[in-house]
Amino acid sequence: MIVVIIAVLAWFFVGYIGRKNSIEYGPWNGTYFMMGAMKGLITPEYVASKIGATSPRDEVLLRTDWQFDDAMVKEINMPGSIATPNKDGWGSLYYIICDFNNDGKVPNPELLTVPPKPGATQKELSARMVIFSAGKDGDPATWEDNQPPYFTK
């Protein structure tokens, strides 16, 4: 009986801490960790399979508005997070740039938005893929709140 009581109390404690952390850290934290999970699993080849064969393979700013397959959702899943594989913690789609021509470089997203980020000069980044969130305002051109402040490589 004591074991059951301890187990129930532990379950409530873990649930309380998880909920408290979700409220305390909010959308930024869930978004940051979701992008970390996606970075390790999503490849340019996976993105190409999701956007379709008829879509151009330009290395441009894409939004994650395709449907993730069940296996990928299960692999990326972060229980209790308000961020998802498709949407950041504020409910906006992630932005992604992939190296479709396999040269190991992608265009710098800071220069793809209108207006471009002030002071951005590097035309390309050495990466196969870049994922970022437009932040709280949902606008990728307002760089002050984009998440993360660096790009996933």
Side-chain angles (χ1 to χ4, degrees), residues 38 41-43 45-51 64-77 84-86:
M38 289 193 302
L41 297 168
I42 298 176
T43 64
E45 294 78 19
Y46 181 82
V47 173
S49 75
K50 293 291 133 192
I51 62 175
T64 55
D65 56 356
W66 61 82
Q67 191 67 27
F68 282 82
D69 56 59
D70 292 338
M72 184 63 76
V73 170
K74 185 177 180 182
E75 191 76 27
I76 294 174
N77 189 26
T84 68
N86 278 88

Side-chain angles (χ1 to χ4, degrees), residues 1-62:
M1 184 63 159
I2 292 176
V3 172
V4 172
I5 292 172
I6 291 173
V8 169
L9 289 174
W11 183 75
F12 278 117
F13 178 75
V14 168
Y16 169 77
I17 294 299
R19 183 170 299 171
K20 180 180 177 212
N21 285 344
S22 174
I23 293 167
E24 191 173 317
Y25 295 112
W28 182 90
N29 194 47
T31 300
Y32 181 77
F33 286 110
M34 184 60 68
M35 284 191 301
M38 289 193 302
K39 172 181 81 169
L41 297 168
I42 298 176
T43 64
E45 294 78 19
Y46 181 82
V47 173
S49 75
K50 293 291 133 192
I51 62 175
T54 58
S55 296
R57 292 292 187 269
D58 297 331
E59 296 172 348
V60 297
L61 206 60
L62 302 168

